[in-house]
């Protein structure tokens, strides 16, 4: 490699050498919110592991003003070379640093505040009087600490940080640790000195300079929790503050480890790319993810805020015990996603988080069923590949396989293994294998100490649970879990019943027309099942391609993957599906709502790979006219709506309308029974919002009339009339259909301070049939003035789902591609969300060619290698195959059931 000065750069790997490692950073930063730049000095204490006259570290897009080696005999200047392609600096020394010694280097640096959403970046907001105020905030995960100060920016280089921030008196500064003292500087500036952090990775460092206000409370053990927000929204922080205190108390008890810092701040940032970030001691959030108005926000908003705090607070994983490298990102994120389920279930049972969790497993399967999927733990090298790890596989599949493992080991044994893992590896870095080892030695009773054994085997049910899984074999958790983390995809288990004999076989479920891609895959699958003769959950570990199990008696039906706690799909061969359809038609409540949702999911997914006829899946869907549970109803919509969504982008109005009519008829009874108010449980309220919105979008007359009347009354009141929260989405959706209604909504959007209300208005406006308004809205989002740039991805994807707007969204994505990848970062989940969101309902070879022409014209620097582009091709190919294979069958079935 050649450095910027033209001299050879002395290191040619993307990963840093292990010759030295940082022990401590003293970091002083001075951001200027007027000139929008910052300068700083960092002093890094180094430990030397091998003699070297070279220190390689990271810095990205910054000027280095001085570089010194601080030695006992005085400071010596260092020669600095830069290699921007790998974001690396080389510090060259005259005489070598000796192995075993500790040294200090000092670097002066400066840079502009970033105008993207990462590094040390500028954010702004508008007050209700129209004044624009600026703040500066950080987002360092995964590889952006190097854009804020020179550092060893890899997760395994853990160190302690002592931070100082210079600011004007009208601002405050917050960071990972509390302020120890504030010093007055010449010129009226103030310098805040923060306490030293615990040992941690660079991506968890955080600081904010702003005019935020805060509210605080203390946990049982005396940890101070504070929520920060812009002054005019501080009254929307009560829910987050209460949830944060409750959840921190829960985690301390669950993990048996005290939270190691004296305080924990949560800050709502006006410009924020993802949902939230778990910086230690200062977690940061998008405003919609943290702020909640009890009068205007919905139960879904309440669940979303609670879940995201639960996710960031599951930071014993990641912060305390960190993955060695980004290939095991799932250890952080999959675990945090899984802990949302565990923690919110205990602390907020009324929010019924189970309903949402199952949907996450289905979402993961959607991506994981494509040939371009990747193993949960997968090799990554460069920043774009690292960014791509932040996807549904790392988060949702990671969470779903952990949930399967917990069900398999029992919750008690699983918890003991987790505690053992966290205590053993505190402040260290781990790989997946360390987790499996911590869970393995538990599983044979001989390895448990007396206390653990007493806890697990206190109830007779657990002993039998162990015996059902394995007889004399010692349970090898790693052997089982390696099959789920080291190979991509997931299994389809085929079940065929012959009398008392149940024949089992497994294969990879894959949406492809190339059968060779499914070969060579084998999982160890913890099967669970119930039968018509026994509601007890039976267990069987399927380790081979095929196996047989024997029932004590013949049965009318059986259901595998009880409650969908396993990450696999099931095909009931022979007469199996007919038996299930008969059961659902006559007595569907014998199965749990999760079981019914998983049957709906599996039967429709099996149509796509030719295992089940479309008639069979549609026959099963008929039972939905009697379904009332949220999870099963929403899964019915998830499988049926895409069928007409594919047709909306083709010219086939007659069949499309017939399909829409079938779905409305199916749920008509349930829609008619909904009240237009906010009564009922969280689950009932979520279902009400869903059904009334669907009714309005599908022009079901009773919904349209009621929603239009409510919108007109609300508009006549100048927007002051209080609408029931659960119906606002349907009401806004109807209002946005006329130019006057749309303009009124936009005016309310512009002035509203309620984030969840703004969010619903934004979706309604982006789903309007008025194409000129859609085009204007897309342009506004890029400018980022009235509609913030952070909301652009949602606007683009919503417009793409709008039958009147999908080609606008596609044209917009192409025209603004280079701006988007600069602002949102190549490989990020936001770019992937836009790429797949805009294209995943195309189903013609013409559109496939057009999509390939555009993405094929990109270079590697502009994203041609991104996984989401491959996923897009595969999804459209799958849609084309589906339409070619099933349209006549669909037409015939709908005619028959008219």
């Amino acid at each position: 490699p050649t450095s910027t000065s033209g001299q050879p750069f002395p290191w040619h790997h993307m990963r840093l050498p292990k010759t030295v490692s940082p022990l401590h950073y003293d970091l002083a930063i001075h951001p200027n919110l007027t000139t929008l730049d910052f300068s700083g000095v960092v002093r890094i204490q180094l430990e030397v592991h091998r003699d070297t006259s070279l220190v390689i570290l990271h810095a990205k897009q910054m000027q280095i003003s001085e570089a010194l080696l601080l030695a006992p005999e005085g400071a010596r200047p260092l020669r600095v070379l830069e290699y921007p392609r790998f974001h690396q600096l080389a510090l060259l020394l005259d005489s070598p640093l000796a192995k075993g010694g500790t040294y200090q280097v000092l670097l002066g640096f400066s840079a502009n505040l970033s105008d993207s959403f990462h590094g040390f970046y500028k954010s702004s907001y508008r007050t209700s009087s129209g004044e624009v105020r600026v703040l500066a905030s950080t987002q360092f995960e995964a590889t952006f600490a190097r854009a804020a100060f020179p550092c060893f920016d890899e997760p395994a280089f853990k160190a302690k940080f002592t931070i100082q921030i210079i600011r004007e008196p009208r601002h405050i500064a917050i960071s990972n640790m509390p302020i120890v003292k504030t010093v007055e500087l010449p010129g009226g500036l103030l310098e805040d000195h923060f306490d030293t952090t615990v040992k941690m990775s660079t991506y968890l460092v955080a600081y904010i300079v702003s005019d935020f206000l805060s509210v605080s409370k203390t946990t049982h053990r005396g940890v101070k929790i504070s929520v920060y927000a812009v002054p005019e929204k501080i009254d929307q922080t009560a829910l987050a503050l209460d949830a944060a205190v409750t959840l921190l108390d829960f985690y301390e008890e669950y993990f048996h480890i005290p939270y190691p810092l004296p305080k924990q701040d949560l800050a709502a940032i006006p410009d924020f790319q993802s949902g939230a970030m778990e910086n230690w001691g200062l977690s940061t959030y998008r405003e919609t993810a943290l702020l909640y108005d009890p009068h205007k926000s919905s139960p879904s908003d309440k669940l979303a805020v609670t879940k995201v705090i639960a996710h960031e607070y599951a930071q014993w994983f990641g912060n305390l015990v960190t993955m060695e490298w980004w290939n095991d990102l799932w250890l952080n994120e999959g675990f945090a996603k899984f802990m949302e389920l565990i923690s919110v279930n205990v602390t907020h049972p009324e929010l019924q988080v189970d309903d949402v969790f199952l949907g996450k497993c289905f979402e993961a399967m959607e991506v994981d069923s494509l040939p371009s999927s990747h193993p949960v733990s997968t090799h990554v090298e460069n920043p774009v590949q690292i960014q791509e790890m932040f996807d549904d596989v790392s988060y949702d599949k990671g969470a779903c396989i952990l949930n399967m493992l917990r069900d398999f080991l029992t919750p008690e044994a699983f918890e003991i293994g987790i505690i053992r893992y966290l205590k053993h590896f505190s402040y260290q870095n781990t790989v997946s294998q360390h987790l499996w080892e911590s869970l393995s030695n538990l599983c044979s009773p001989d390895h448990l100490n007396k206390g653990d054994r007493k806890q697990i085997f206190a109830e007779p049910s657990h002993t039998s649970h162990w015996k059902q899984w394995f007889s004399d074999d010692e349970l090898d958790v790693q052997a089982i879990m390696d099959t789920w983390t080291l190979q991509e995809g997931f299994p389809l288990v085929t079940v065929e019943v012959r009398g008392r004999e149940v024949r089992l076989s497994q294969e990879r479920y894959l949406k492809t027309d190339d059968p060779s891609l499914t070969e060579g895959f084998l999982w160890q699958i913890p099967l669970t099942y119930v039968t018509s003769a026994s509601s007890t959950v039976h267990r069987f570990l399927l380790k081979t391609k095929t196996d047989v199990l024997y029932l004590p008696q013949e049965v009318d039906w059986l259901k595998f993957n009880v409650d969908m706690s396993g990450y696999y799909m099931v095909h009931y061969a022979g007469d199996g599906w007919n038996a299930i359809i008969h059961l659902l038609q006559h007595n569907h409540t014998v199965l749990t709502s999760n079981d019914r949702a998983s049957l709906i999911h599996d039967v429709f997914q099996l149509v796509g790979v030719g295992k089940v006829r479309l008639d069979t899946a549609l026959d099963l869907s008929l039972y939905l006219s009697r379904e009332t549970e949220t999870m099963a109803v929403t899964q019915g919509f998830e499988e049926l709506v895409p069928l007409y969504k594919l047709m909306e982008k083709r010219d086939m109005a007659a069949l499309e309308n017939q399909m829409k009519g079938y779905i409305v008829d199916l749920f008509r009874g349930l829609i008619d029974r909904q009240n237009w108010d906010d009564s009922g449980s969280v689950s009932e309220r979520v279902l009400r919002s869903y059904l009334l919105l669907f009714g309005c979008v599908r022009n079901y007359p009773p919904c349209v009339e009621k929603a239009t009347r409510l919108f007109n009354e609300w508009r006549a009141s100048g927007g002051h009339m209080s609408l029931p929260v659960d119906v606002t989405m349907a009401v806004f959706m109807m209002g946005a259909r006329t130019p006057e209604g749309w303009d009124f909504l936009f005016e309310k959007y512009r002035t509203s301070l309620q984030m969840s209300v703004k969010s619903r208005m934004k979706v309604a406006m982006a789903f309007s049939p008025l194409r000129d308004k859609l085009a204007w809205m897309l342009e506004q989002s890029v400018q980022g003035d009235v509609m913030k740039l952070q909301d652009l991805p949602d606007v683009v994807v919503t417009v793409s789902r709008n039958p009147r707007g999908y080609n606008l969204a596609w044209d917009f994505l192409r025209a603004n591609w280079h701006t988007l990848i600069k602002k949102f970062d190549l490989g990020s989940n936001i770019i992937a969300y836009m790429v797949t969101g805009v294209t995943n309902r195309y189903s013609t070879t013409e559109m496939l060619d057009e999509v390939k022409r555009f993405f094929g014209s990109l270079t590697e620097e502009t994203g041609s290698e991104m996984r989401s582009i491959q996923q897009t091709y595969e999804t459209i190919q799958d849609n084309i195959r589906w339409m070619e294979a099933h349209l006549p069958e669909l037409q015939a079935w709908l005619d028959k059931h008219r």
Side-chain angles (χ1 to χ4, degrees), residues 767-784:
F767 212 77
S768 165
L770 309 168
R771 282 176 63 91
D772 57 325
K773 300 289 190 190
L774 301 178
W776 183 82
M777 202 172 168
L778 287 165
E779 288 311 319
Q780 280 296 312
S781 303
V782 182
Q783 288 164 23

Side-chain angles (χ1 to χ4, degrees), residues 213-216 225-229 234 237 240-241 244 265-267 290-291:
L213 298 179
S214 67
V215 291
S216 304
I225 307 278
S226 307
V227 181
Y228 286 82
I234 196 68
T237 53
L241 186 59
D265 299 335
L266 303 84
L290 198 64
L291 303 179

Side-chain angles (χ1 to χ4, degrees), residues 4-195:
T4 46
S5 63
Q7 291 165 283
F9 191 78
W11 184 250
H12 57 272
H13 301 286
M14 183 133 340
R15 298 280 298 272
L16 298 179
K18 303 253 190 320
T19 42
V20 303
S21 59
L23 293 170
H24 188 271
Y25 292 80
D26 276 295
L27 174 63
I29 292 261
H30 179 195
N32 186 324
L33 299 191
T34 310
T35 55
L36 302 180
D37 52 20
F38 63 93
S39 56
V41 176
V42 64
R43 197 166 78 237
I44 311 174
Q45 187 184 3
L46 300 173
E47 184 174 18
V48 181
H49 308 294
R50 285 202 297 277
D51 290 2
T52 182
S53 45
L54 181 67
V55 173
I56 307 286
L57 72 169
H58 288 113
K60 183 181 179 184
Q61 292 171 344
M62 55 175 58
Q63 289 75 47
I64 303 298
S65 52
E66 62 177 330
L68 302 170
L69 177 70
L70 305 177
E73 61 277 13
R76 303 211 308 272
L78 295 167
R79 211 151 59 82
V80 180
L81 296 176
E82 291 184 58
Y83 184 51
R85 184 164 168 236
F86 287 179
H87 313 148
Q88 286 171 356
L89 290 183
L91 309 179
L92 308 176
L93 303 116
D94 306 334
S95 52
L97 305 177
K99 177 182 173 176
T102 56
Y103 298 83
Q104 290 197 351
V105 295
L106 179 143
L107 296 164
F109 57 92
S110 60
N112 292 323
L113 286 172
S114 166
D115 61 354
S116 65
F117 296 93
H118 34 256
F120 192 21
Y121 70 93
K122 178 201 115 163
S123 170
S124 65
Y125 70 95
R126 196 182 286 272
T127 64
S128 51
S129 63
E131 181 196 349
V132 174
R133 295 193 182 166
V134 176
L135 59 131
S137 181
T138 57
Q139 169 61 38
F140 291 164
E141 192 177 34
T143 55
F144 299 110
R146 62 190 68 171
F149 60 99
C151 57
F152 294 79
D153 199 13
E154 293 181 7
F157 286 106
K158 286 189 167 185
K160 295 182 174 184
F161 297 82
T162 306
I163 295 172
Q164 297 168 18
I165 295 177
I166 296 174
R167 61 176 170 90
E168 295 178 62
R170 66 196 173 107
H171 291 130
I172 59 162
I174 47 178
S175 183
N176 304 81
M177 296 298 284
I179 291 182
V180 183
K181 63 175 179 182
T182 298
V183 178
E184 287 191 32
L185 300 180
L189 293 172
L190 300 174
E191 185 177 61
D192 292 324
H193 293 235
F194 294 90
D195 211 345

